Amino acid sequence: MQLWISQGEVESIKGKFPDILEERGDNFTSILINKKQLIELLTYLKEQLNYKMFIDFFCIDYPLHTPRFQGVYLLFNPEKKRRVAVKCWAEDNSLPSVINLWKGAKWSEREAWDMFGVRFEGHKNLVRMFLWEGYQYHPLRKDFPLEGYKDTYLPSLNLKEGETPAHNYDPYHTPLPSMEDLERTEKARIKKKNQIVLNWGPLHPGTHGTIWFLFDMEGEVVQECDIILGQLHRGVEKIAENITYTQFIPYTDRMDYISALCSQVAYVNTVEKLLGVEPPEKAKWIRTMMCELQRINSHLLWLGTYALDLGALTIFLYTFREREKIMDIIEGIAGIRLNSTYIRIGGVAKDLPEGALDVISHFVKDFPEKLKEYETILTKNRVWLKRNVNLGVITEEDVYSYGLTGVVARASGVPYDIRAIQPTDAYDKVDFEIPLGKVGDCYDRYLVRIEEMKQSVEIVKQCVNKLKDMKDDKYISTENPYVLPTLEEVFNSIEAMVKDFNLRIYGEQAPEGEIYLSGENPRGELGFYINSKGEGKPYRLRIRSGAFYNLQVFTELIKGKTVADAVVLLGSLDPVVGETDR
């Protein structure tokens, strides 16, 4: 299946822009353009070739190259189901802003300024995305140390003068924001024009995590809104550049911690494509089954907490009853309930235990009746309808402009589902439907998630039936030089022990090249871009977060609504902070 721009389309671009350079690969095709023609090329791609959906923008640091920074734009053609990457060098450390073409570029441009120090000409309010105003460094630059710059003196409050600190205590630390820094950051995000600026979060239960919202209010109505992220920022992209591909797998668990298995699978599939590793058929079916169980798990948590936000306590108790069963299944298979690190390059960590398929079969047989209980209570409930219908309407054009994916896109009638567009593992062998909404409001997003759980049940049933006939098949391709041996092999073979040591310490010597691959996370498209220089770790790893882009549209949807509506609207978008802050 051709998933990148066709050669014919590239030739048509060369007819108009003869100076472009094309780099074509199996999993990544890019067009390099000079800065002066960037906006013209992007406009041509959007308006003439229909690459109108904004997927992502990020930067790469090449310290020995002049210019130093390169911007990369990822676009999608929803009609032909094809992607294209556009690259441009940031001359004078700046690029033209593309916000006038795609509104979703606002946050990604701010992130590039925050992490790399690249400025964007025409960006009206280029402020930090994750760090505070006044912070002098840009952490994703190659010369920024992994532990940061320890240039702030913070003495221990427990030591008396002249005492020797225990445990090699270092009184110098990386900078921390002062109250003045936070106030300056707040004022840079939103300027009071009306009666009051209301702070919501970052420690409010309705924000579902550490997100700081700013509302410029006129009475009870929100006139302007901005969001301050960074309370949970972990810098995992920086970490990935300093550890091996296998060592990074546990970090993917901790991004979207509500759907850790889906994040693992999206990342591992990307690395496998880069390395040329083909997992066994059984591993593909196990991954698909586990991802769909995780999707149900995630949607149950969403439904329970969303209903609780609106005052429906009973649903919260009901959904956690079923969610507990799925958590038990995951624990029984992976050994850990939440951050399982079960997926491996080349397959899965261990085979399905005896009786696992029987337990899963019982769950998928019982669950549809429970789902009917939720629908009976909520779907035609007049309070539920009053709070959800016609609130937060997202149009098809909004989906393309903001780069909205997952349930948020499909509830607006856009059939954007990575499982169908670029199926990995066993998704091309299972039958399922893609639920779509008609209005694009909070109610449609509720209905789509309910229907998605039903579709996930059907996928799990197909996986169970297939796996029953694959009991003795391999679950990991350990004969591949890039794949870690199993524990049993390490305990019984000196060759396996040496291989295990080398892969864990020195990593997989991946071939040079670039790749972008994504998975259908419960919160939307979770994509991984890897730039490899032939080392045991990525030169640049970019994580395209569905939750990050979906959250951005909140700032527009909330205008003209009340704070009570903000709780409903945010819940319908279902962000997870570990992924928005990465």
Short mmCIF file of all heavy atoms in Angstrom, two decimals, residues 150-156 159 165 168-174:
data_model
loop_
_atom_site.label_atom_id
_atom_site.label_comp_id
_atom_site.label_asym_id
_atom_site.label_seq_id
_atom_site.Cartn_x
_atom_site.Cartn_y
_atom_site.Cartn_z
N LYS A 150 23.48 22.74 35.89
CA LYS A 150 23.35 22.93 37.33
C LYS A 150 24.01 24.25 37.73
O LYS A 150 25.14 24.28 38.23
CB LYS A 150 23.98 21.75 38.08
CG LYS A 150 23.30 20.42 37.80
CD LYS A 150 23.95 19.29 38.59
CE LYS A 150 23.24 17.97 38.34
NZ LYS A 150 23.83 16.85 39.10
N ASP A 151 23.29 25.32 37.52
CA ASP A 151 23.86 26.64 37.76
C ASP A 151 23.11 27.44 38.83
O ASP A 151 23.34 28.63 39.01
CB ASP A 151 23.91 27.44 36.47
CG ASP A 151 22.54 27.55 35.79
OD1 ASP A 151 21.55 27.12 36.40
OD2 ASP A 151 22.47 28.07 34.67
N THR A 152 22.21 26.77 39.55
CA THR A 152 21.43 27.44 40.59
C THR A 152 21.80 26.87 41.96
O THR A 152 21.74 25.66 42.17
CB THR A 152 19.92 27.26 40.34
OG1 THR A 152 19.59 27.77 39.05
CG2 THR A 152 19.10 28.00 41.40
N TYR A 153 22.18 27.76 42.88
CA TYR A 153 22.60 27.33 44.22
C TYR A 153 21.37 27.14 45.11
O TYR A 153 20.60 28.06 45.36
CB TYR A 153 23.54 28.38 44.84
CG TYR A 153 24.06 28.00 46.21
CD1 TYR A 153 24.90 26.91 46.37
CD2 TYR A 153 23.69 28.74 47.33
CE1 TYR A 153 25.38 26.56 47.63
CE2 TYR A 153 24.16 28.39 48.58
CZ TYR A 153 25.00 27.30 48.73
OH TYR A 153 25.48 26.96 49.98
N LEU A 154 21.18 25.90 45.57
CA LEU A 154 20.05 25.56 46.44
C LEU A 154 20.60 24.76 47.63
O LEU A 154 20.66 23.53 47.60
CB LEU A 154 19.01 24.73 45.70
CG LEU A 154 18.21 25.45 44.61
CD1 LEU A 154 17.38 24.46 43.83
CD2 LEU A 154 17.30 26.50 45.23
N PRO A 155 21.04 25.43 48.69
CA PRO A 155 21.64 24.71 49.82
C PRO A 155 20.61 23.88 50.57
O PRO A 155 19.41 24.16 50.55
CB PRO A 155 22.17 25.85 50.70
CG PRO A 155 21.30 27.02 50.37
CD PRO A 155 20.96 26.88 48.92
N SER A 156 21.09 22.84 51.23
CA SER A 156 20.21 21.99 52.03
C SER A 156 19.75 22.73 53.26
O SER A 156 20.55 23.39 53.95
CB SER A 156 20.95 20.70 52.42
OG SER A 156 20.19 19.98 53.36
N LEU A 159 21.30 21.04 56.75
CA LEU A 159 22.71 21.11 57.14
C LEU A 159 23.00 22.37 57.92
O LEU A 159 22.55 23.47 57.58
CB LEU A 159 23.60 21.07 55.89
CG LEU A 159 23.73 19.73 55.15
CD1 LEU A 159 24.60 19.89 53.94
CD2 LEU A 159 24.28 18.67 56.07
N PRO A 165 27.89 17.44 53.79
CA PRO A 165 26.63 16.84 53.33
C PRO A 165 26.77 15.34 53.12
O PRO A 165 27.82 14.85 52.72
CB PRO A 165 26.36 17.57 52.02
CG PRO A 165 27.70 18.05 51.56
CD PRO A 165 28.47 18.35 52.80
N ASN A 168 26.96 12.64 49.08
CA ASN A 168 27.51 13.50 48.01
C ASN A 168 26.50 14.55 47.53
O ASN A 168 26.34 14.79 46.35
CB ASN A 168 27.96 12.65 46.82
CG ASN A 168 29.06 11.69 47.20
OD1 ASN A 168 29.99 12.06 47.94
ND2 ASN A 168 28.99 10.45 46.72
N TYR A 169 25.81 15.15 48.46
CA TYR A 169 24.80 16.15 48.13
C TYR A 169 25.42 17.31 47.36
O TYR A 169 26.44 17.87 47.76
CB TYR A 169 24.14 16.67 49.42
CG TYR A 169 23.16 17.80 49.17
CD1 TYR A 169 21.88 17.53 48.71
CD2 TYR A 169 23.53 19.12 49.41
CE1 TYR A 169 20.98 18.56 48.49
CE2 TYR A 169 22.63 20.16 49.18
CZ TYR A 169 21.36 19.87 48.71
OH TYR A 169 20.47 20.88 48.48
N ASP A 170 24.79 17.65 46.24
CA ASP A 170 25.27 18.74 45.40
C ASP A 170 24.35 19.94 45.60
O ASP A 170 23.16 19.89 45.28
CB ASP A 170 25.26 18.31 43.93
CG ASP A 170 25.91 19.36 43.02
OD1 ASP A 170 26.23 20.46 43.52
OD2 ASP A 170 26.07 19.07 41.82
N PRO A 171 24.86 21.04 46.14
CA PRO A 171 24.01 22.20 46.39
C PRO A 171 23.62 22.96 45.11
O PRO A 171 22.80 23.87 45.16
CB PRO A 171 24.85 23.08 47.30
CG PRO A 171 26.26 22.72 46.95
CD PRO A 171 26.24 21.27 46.60
N TYR A 172 24.21 22.58 43.99
CA TYR A 172 23.88 23.25 42.74
C TYR A 172 22.90 22.39 41.94
O TYR A 172 23.11 21.19 41.76
CB TYR A 172 25.14 23.52 41.92
CG TYR A 172 25.95 24.66 42.49
CD1 TYR A 172 26.95 24.42 43.44
CD2 TYR A 172 25.69 25.98 42.12
CE1 TYR A 172 27.67 25.46 43.99
CE2 TYR A 172 26.41 27.03 42.67
CZ TYR A 172 27.39 26.77 43.60
OH TYR A 172 28.10 27.81 44.14
N HIS A 173 21.84 23.01 41.48
CA HIS A 173 20.77 22.30 40.78
C HIS A 173 20.41 23.03 39.50
O HIS A 173 20.84 24.17 39.27
CB HIS A 173 19.52 22.19 41.68
CG HIS A 173 19.73 21.39 42.91
ND1 HIS A 173 19.32 20.10 43.04
CD2 HIS A 173 20.33 21.70 44.10
CE1 HIS A 173 19.64 19.63 44.22
NE2 HIS A 173 20.25 20.59 44.89
N THR A 174 19.59 22.35 38.67
CA THR A 174 19.06 23.03 37.50
C THR A 174 18.06 24.09 37.96
O THR A 174 17.48 24.00 39.04
CB THR A 174 18.35 22.03 36.57
OG1 THR A 174 17.35 21.33 37.32
CG2 THR A 174 19.34 21.03 36.00
#
